[in-house]
Amino acid sequence: MLADKIHITPPGSLYARIRDELRARIVAGVYKPHARLPSESELMSNYGVSRITVRQALGELEKEGVLFKVAGKGMFVSLPKPFQSLARLQGFAEALSEQGHEIYNHLVGIKHLPASSAVAQRLGLAEGAPVTELRRVRHLNRQPVSLDVTYVAAHLGKRLAQENLATRDIFLILENDYAIALGYADLSIDAIQADSELPELLQIADGAPVLRIERLTHTKDGSPLDFEYLYCRADNFQLRARIER
């Protein structure tokens, strides 16, 4: 039950302010995962609002996945999905470690090979030029969440092959160890069905939906540096972005 009754104006913003306050309490840990929220009647009394207003606030939080309903028992706090923001250029471990998650990379393989037409075009190389392919399965809290296939020019790839890629992000190695300033990345996102090696590596069913991201990262001066295909599970991980009008 909320500690104090809260009287909010103007009426038009009542449900949004209740929604936002409840969300803030959940994020702050006042209501833990799987905890039952105060009943509709309690919230009506505490906020001095109608049942319709309370249901609108709770309904929006349910749509966001913050709450889930149990018939006859009320609203409960969902176990939050880990997420990475698309608004910042960060490595996987860099972003998720900030949220307190356990990160581990399983290095599936490293190959030195001629650049395909697609890879050469992205990296600004001649087709057939030497590149390095790095394949890693990213684990979040001991569950696989993505297969990352990274391509870099061979002179960088040979150096990266000597690094500890199980616990370190390539972005941080490039910046901190190699003094290469990162600038920006171009992304494209689509959905595909898991086939080939993805079901086994990501522990998902054949044909399960997978989010595929193509990311081309540039240096601060605009030169293409790192081209990746990221194949992300759809059930245990989120990508988020804030888009301004």
Side-chain angles (χ1 to χ4, degrees):
M1 186 172 181
L2 298 177
D4 300 304
K5 292 189 177 184
I6 301 173
H7 302 284
I8 305 173
T9 57
S13 64
L14 282 173
Y15 86 89
R17 296 181 67 179
I18 296 170
R19 174 202 64 201
D20 293 346
E21 180 165 331
L22 289 174
R23 187 195 296 113
R25 287 172 176 257
I26 291 168
V27 171
V30 176
Y31 299 122
K32 306 291 186 185
H34 297 159
R36 181 181 179 276
L37 245 62
S39 68
E40 290 182 0
S41 297
E42 288 175 305
L43 291 171
M44 289 165 56
S45 175
N46 287 323
Y47 283 97
V49 298
S50 68
R51 188 176 300 274
I52 291 175
T53 299
V54 167
R55 285 184 174 176
Q56 191 172 3
L58 296 176
E60 291 213 355
L61 291 173
E62 186 178 12
K63 287 179 183 177
E64 292 177 15
V66 175
L67 301 177
F68 65 94
K69 184 186 295 183
V70 177
K73 294 187 178 180
M75 285 287 193
F76 293 79
V77 179
S78 300
L79 186 65
K81 278 187 179 181
F83 68 92
Q84 182 171 0
S85 172
L86 295 178
R88 296 178 63 190
L89 180 55
Q90 290 183 301
F92 181 80
E94 181 184 9
L96 276 298
S97 294
E98 291 178 356
Q99 301 175 34
H101 297 290
E102 178 187 349
I103 309 299
Y104 175 76
N105 305 322
H106 171 52
L107 185 62
V108 178
I110 300 177
K111 292 181 182 178
H112 305 291
L113 68 170
S116 67
S117 175
V119 171
Q121 181 181 11
R122 301 305 201 286
L123 292 178
L125 302 171
E127 185 174 350
V131 295
T132 300
E133 178 193 80
L134 305 162
R135 303 170 71 85
R136 294 165 296 158
V137 175
R138 318 303 292 267
H139 287 74
L140 175 65
N141 301 326
R142 305 188 183 186
Q143 286 192 323
V145 294
S146 71
L147 169 65
D148 295 6
V149 183
T150 302
Y151 296 94
V152 294
H155 70 279
L156 275 180
K158 290 176 182 177
R159 296 180 68 184
L160 288 171
Q162 306 303 314
E163 305 288 353
N164 178 9
L165 299 178
T167 58
R168 300 190 67 198
D169 275 336
I170 288 176
F171 283 176
L172 292 181
I173 295 172
L174 294 174
E175 284 194 314
N176 297 340
D177 297 3
Y178 302 170
I180 300 174
L182 302 183
Y184 62 93
D186 296 317
L187 287 83
S188 63
I189 304 173
D190 63 359
I192 64 171
Q193 289 184 317
D195 57 10
S196 186
E197 62 183 345
L198 287 176
E200 181 179 356
L201 292 176
L202 298 183
Q203 297 177 16
I204 55 178
D206 287 343
V210 174
L211 199 63
R212 179 177 61 187
I213 301 171
E214 290 187 19
R215 181 169 67 186
L216 176 60
T217 301
H218 300 75
T219 62
K220 196 169 184 179
D221 66 7
S223 301
L225 177 69
D226 173 304
F227 177 59
E228 298 171 281
Y229 293 104
L230 313 176
Y231 300 91
C232 304
R233 281 178 56 163
D235 61 338
N236 63 358
F237 181 64
Q238 288 182 333
L239 295 166
R240 296 184 185 179
R242 170 175 289 182
I243 302 173
E244 302 288 352
R245 181 172 174 82

